[in-house]
Amino acid sequence: MRLGFIVERLLQLIPVLIGISLVVFLMMTLTPGDPVEIMLGDQLATAEQKESLRRDMGLDLPAAERFIRFVRNSLSGDFGRSFFHRRPVAEVIAERLPATIELTIVAMLIALAVAIPLGVLAAVRRGSLIDKAATVISLIGVSMPGFWLGIMLILLFAVHLGWMPVSGRIDYAFEVPRITGMILFDSLVQGRYAAFLNALHHILMPAVTLGLAMAALLMRVTRTSMIEVLQQDYIVFAEAKGLSRARVLVRHALKNALIPTVTVAALETGYLLGGNTIVEMVFGWPGLARVIVEGIYSRDFPLVQAGVLVIAVIYVTVNFAADVLYTLLNPRVKL
Amino acid sequence: MTAAAPSAAGRQDSILRINLRKFTRDRLAIAAAAGVVLFVAMALLAPWLAPHDPYDTDLLRRLQPPAWMEGGEWSYVFGCDSLGRDIVSRIIYGARISIFIGVAVVLLATLVGTLAGLAAGYLGGAVDGVISRIVDVLLGFPYLIFAIGLMGMMGPGLQNIILALVYKEWTISCRVVRGETLATRELEYVEAARAVGASRTHIMLREILPNIMSPLIVVATTRMATIIILEASLSFLGLGMQPPLASWGSMVADGRSFLSDAWWVGTFPGVAIFLLVLAINLASQGLRDAFDPRLRQ
């Protein structure tokens, strides 16, 4: 029964993924400008050379055929060559993606670390000053444009106080051999603690900038679901049994109240992935989102196309996982 | 059928009016709404309110500090940018772009999304299948990534920003309307309209639509805040409004280059975005509380 549900959801994923590839394909096909001219840039080429290049890139084929080729190549990890970086797009993406994933994970962890305690506190002391303050803070959090918050943090903590680095992932003095490409993880498992701390120092401001709005959202979700759970009979019963308040809150209430929080967190990963573009630009973070934006400046279409596709596929996959997890975790959903 | 229409409309009016009366009792929400109105007035009256021409460059005033700092003067309260343009005047003119795009995108997207949602929810079957698949696909893209990709393809400019945002934004109201329509379509008054032979268009537009206006209005106002931030983000990245047009997002981007010696260039436009978005969020929260007791926190 449960396996059947997962298979069914997986099958539903297929048309969505095909649709996403089609949208990405159309986005780039309909873009005005001849890719061959853009790729050649200032280089001089004869009409024959251009023609043969066009044939090599498959641009002479009908659109439907090009789309099928695009999907087939993407599936095998072949995204063509980047006009700007002058090497395979897959290489550029593999190099940059870990930085984006790392930043997204840390931002999510910060958001959860802020949101859960605040949300629980607001729910337990419902209607109190703390509750009202938490609501106002969360509204401020969602109303602050990320790029401006990032710049204000740089202004205060990097430029004026000098406590934080302005940009980058780690100081040049440190060398961390690449395992996953996520520096925090790589340095930790290799026991390079100085490098780990330095990388942590670098990721703090970008991750806070990225995670703040998410923290605000998750705080409200936690508060709402906690209030709901606290009114359930089994909580009243647990308290009547004489269990301590802390034990009831953590062992009985929080465990159930967190299901919506975790689900919303996973469903809103797309928000973080989109926000990455801004944060990576502001903090000079060498991730995939920044490469996409730079690819647009340099009209590097294969790179932009593949980058958008990879991020959309990651997003859809995370959503799928969240959906399956929620259904399996939540005892109230009957399969 | 002719008898059903006025009664449905009459009932809707009163619900909306009751809800609005509830809204006016929420003092914080009213204050926030007044703030939004002030911003709108500022945008409309920009030519009369702005102390200087927002495009008038004056290199002698390059990076002139705000009035209260040394070297500032009161006729240029927030100082000047890197081309010596008055920041206050540029913020006042920038309100026009933010608000215009916010309103245009939300109106267009709500219109498209409502029609699509009504069709999907009421007609069901293949229509619902097609519309829901399109929505699923569009929801598979992180918003900003999608908009950035489209802006890269279409190039910058006012019309393109609006289109790039509407292409995805309509899915939000579509899902809300579809859900509400599914919940409404089997209710007695819709059955009654069907029984007396009302056409499908009539049922969708005259019977169902008026009764799902409340959630639709709440969603539309909330989305306005998001759209304003998205437009500012695109302009910040240089993919939205182009210079010399005064857009809050591109003003912040401009200020980024002078962080260490002229913090005011990027700070004040950001404050403007923040205040407008906060006011809209507070007002829409008030609307939500008044319109939908189920959602009350």
Side-chain angles (χ1 to χ4, degrees):
Chain A
M1 199 62 173
R2 298 204 148 175
L3 193 69
F5 162 77
I6 296 175
V7 171
E8 195 190 311
R9 282 290 287 114
L10 260 176
L11 289 178
Q12 285 169 3
L13 215 56
I14 295 172
V16 172
L17 288 174
I18 294 176
I20 284 175
S21 337
L22 184 62
V23 171
V24 172
F25 174 76
L26 286 178
M27 226 182 235
M28 293 302 137
T29 312
L30 298 178
T31 301
D34 181 357
V36 170
E37 300 283 348
I38 297 165
M39 190 174 163
L40 286 171
D42 299 333
Q43 298 171 54
L44 290 173
T46 63
E48 289 93 64
Q49 282 171 323
K50 282 183 190 168
E51 205 43 55
S52 92
L53 191 59
R54 189 161 286 133
R55 254 198 314 278
D56 286 348
M57 291 167 70
L59 290 171
D60 54 335
L61 300 170
E65 212 163 308
R66 268 185 303 169
F67 175 60
I68 291 170
R69 226 169 106 146
F70 168 66
V71 172
R72 212 175 40 218
N73 289 345
S74 303
L75 282 175
S76 62
D78 173 12
F79 297 112
R81 284 182 75 81
S82 155
F83 298 165
F84 180 77
H85 299 264
R86 306 220 170 257
R87 56 201 177 108
V89 166
E91 244 180 67
V92 180
I93 290 181
E95 192 180 287
R96 298 296 198 103
L97 186 57
T100 292
I101 294 179
E102 182 175 54
L103 182 56
T104 309
I105 293 176
V106 175
M108 184 63 93
L109 291 178
I110 290 178
L112 287 169
V114 173
I116 294 174
L118 265 181
V120 170
L121 201 64
V124 173
R125 303 231 185 291
R126 194 180 174 188
S128 72
L129 205 63
I130 297 177
D131 185 17
K132 289 194 180 110
T135 307
V136 172
I137 292 171
S138 98
L139 262 176
I140 291 176
V142 292
S143 304
M144 196 135 18
F147 56 92
W148 182 69
L149 171 65
I151 288 177
M152 291 300 110
L153 289 179
I154 291 180
L155 188 61
L156 184 61
F157 293 106
V159 175
H160 280 290
L161 296 171
W163 292 349
M164 290 287 173
V166 175
S167 72
R169 291 178 79 189
I170 193 163
D171 285 340
Y172 288 113
F174 295 98
E175 234 177 90
V176 180
R178 185 185 167 106
I179 302 174
T180 59
M182 289 184 260
I183 294 184
L184 284 175
F185 180 82
D186 290 357
S187 58
L188 203 58
V189 295
Q190 295 178 73
R192 294 172 189 252
Y193 300 115
F196 175 78
L197 287 178
N198 188 271
L200 198 62
H201 193 203
H202 277 79
I203 208 172
L204 207 58
M205 283 205 305
V208 166
T209 306
L210 186 57
L212 183 75
M214 182 64 103
L217 172 73
L218 293 181
M219 193 219 90
R220 305 191 63 160
V221 174
T222 309
R223 178 182 176 276
T224 310
S225 73
M226 193 73 183
I227 286 175
E228 199 183 303
V229 167
L230 286 176
Q231 288 162 352
Q232 302 287 320
D233 291 342
Y234 67 88
I235 297 296
V236 179
F237 180 69
E239 285 190 325
K241 272 200 310 194
L243 295 181
S244 75
R245 183 85 176 146
R247 193 179 161 90
V248 173
L249 279 182
V250 176
R251 290 287 298 271
H252 295 255
L254 192 58
K255 218 175 79 189
N256 290 308
L258 282 187
I259 296 176
T261 309
V262 173
T263 311
V264 172
L267 291 177
E268 293 293 327
T269 312
Y271 178 82
L272 290 185
L273 288 170
N276 260 307
T277 50
I278 294 287
V279 175
E280 289 181 10
M281 291 303 284
V282 170
F283 289 95
W285 191 259
L288 181 58
R290 193 175 119 204
V291 162
I292 295 177
V293 178
E294 286 168 350
I296 285 175
Y297 297 152
S298 57
R299 303 187 77 70
D300 191 346
F301 297 132
L303 184 59
V304 174
Q305 194 172 30
V308 172
L309 186 66
V310 166
I311 288 193
V313 170
I314 293 178
Y315 179 33
V316 171
T317 314
V318 173
N319 272 3
F320 163 74
D323 202 12
V324 170
L325 263 181
Y326 176 75
T327 317
L328 297 183
L329 283 181
N330 194 339
R332 272 172 298 186
V333 178
K334 290 213 172 59
L335 290 175
Chain B
M1 177 189 128
T2 39
S7 75
R11 189 167 57 228
Q12 161 58 23
D13 277 346
S14 63
I15 290 176
L16 208 61
R17 222 174 286 143
I18 292 168
N19 285 340
L20 280 175
R21 222 173 296 135
K22 264 191 262 169
F23 177 70
T24 52
R25 279 201 293 266
D26 184 345
R27 256 181 283 159
L28 183 61
I30 285 296
V36 177
V37 171
L38 269 179
F39 268 103
V40 173
M42 182 170 106
L44 290 175
L45 303 176
W48 294 279
L49 286 178
H52 302 278
D53 180 341
Y55 305 111
D56 196 9
T57 60
D58 179 356
L59 290 180
L60 291 175
R61 296 189 187 281
R62 187 173 187 275
L63 302 181
Q64 177 177 308
W68 56 90
M69 285 172 65
E70 207 181 318
E73 48 183 309
W74 283 104
S75 54
Y76 295 85
V77 178
F78 290 163
C80 298
D81 68 7
S82 57
L83 294 173
R85 294 172 297 196
D86 177 37
I87 292 179
V88 168
S89 304
R90 289 181 70 73
I91 289 179
I92 292 174
Y93 271 86
R96 299 188 137 193
I97 292 176
S98 284
I99 293 172
F100 179 72
I101 290 179
V103 172
V105 170
V106 169
L107 279 183
L108 275 173
T110 308
L111 181 70
V112 176
T114 304
L115 293 178
L118 278 171
Y122 190 73
L123 302 177
V127 177
D128 185 24
V130 170
I131 293 176
S132 294
R133 285 300 84 71
I134 297 177
V135 170
D136 282 348
V137 167
L138 290 176
L139 287 175
F141 291 94
Y143 212 131
L144 201 51
I145 295 275
F146 184 77
I148 286 172
L150 276 180
M151 290 310 287
M153 165 194 149
M154 301 190 297
L158 182 71
Q159 193 188 333
N160 289 349
I161 300 183
I162 294 175
L163 281 178
L165 295 176
V166 168
Y167 280 145
K168 191 165 154 73
E169 181 63 25
W170 69 272
T171 57
I172 309 260
S173 46
C174 178
R175 280 209 306 181
V176 172
V177 171
R178 179 178 174 275
E180 294 286 334
T181 306
L182 282 175
T184 314
R185 57 176 292 179
E186 306 302 336
L187 294 183
E188 288 90 348
Y189 70 90
V190 179
E191 294 271 1
R194 244 195 313 265
V196 297
S199 71
R200 290 195 290 198
T201 327
H202 176 91
I203 293 176
M204 285 191 273
L205 297 181
R206 303 297 305 243
E207 303 291 339
I208 296 179
L209 184 59
N211 283 287
I212 60 177
M213 281 311 274
S214 289
L216 202 54
I217 292 173
V218 170
V219 170
T221 52
T222 315
R223 295 304 301 172
M224 188 91 71
T226 310
I227 297 293
I228 287 175
I229 290 196
L230 281 169
E231 179 275 316
S233 304
L234 288 173
S235 296
F236 173 79
L237 291 174
L239 301 169
M241 299 306 292
Q242 294 296 291
L245 268 177
S247 151
W248 291 344
S250 52
M251 289 170 76
V252 175
D254 192 29
R256 218 187 130 203
S257 330
F258 309 102
L259 272 192
S260 42
D261 37 38
W263 56 267
W264 51 91
V265 179
T267 304
F268 294 119
V271 173
I273 305 173
F274 170 61
L275 289 179
L276 174 59
V277 171
L278 183 66
I280 295 176
N281 275 334
L282 279 170
S284 75
Q285 184 179 281
L287 270 184
R288 182 192 310 246
D289 288 348
F291 278 30
D292 191 349
R294 276 172 306 163
L295 294 173
R296 193 165 307 177
Q297 302 262 323

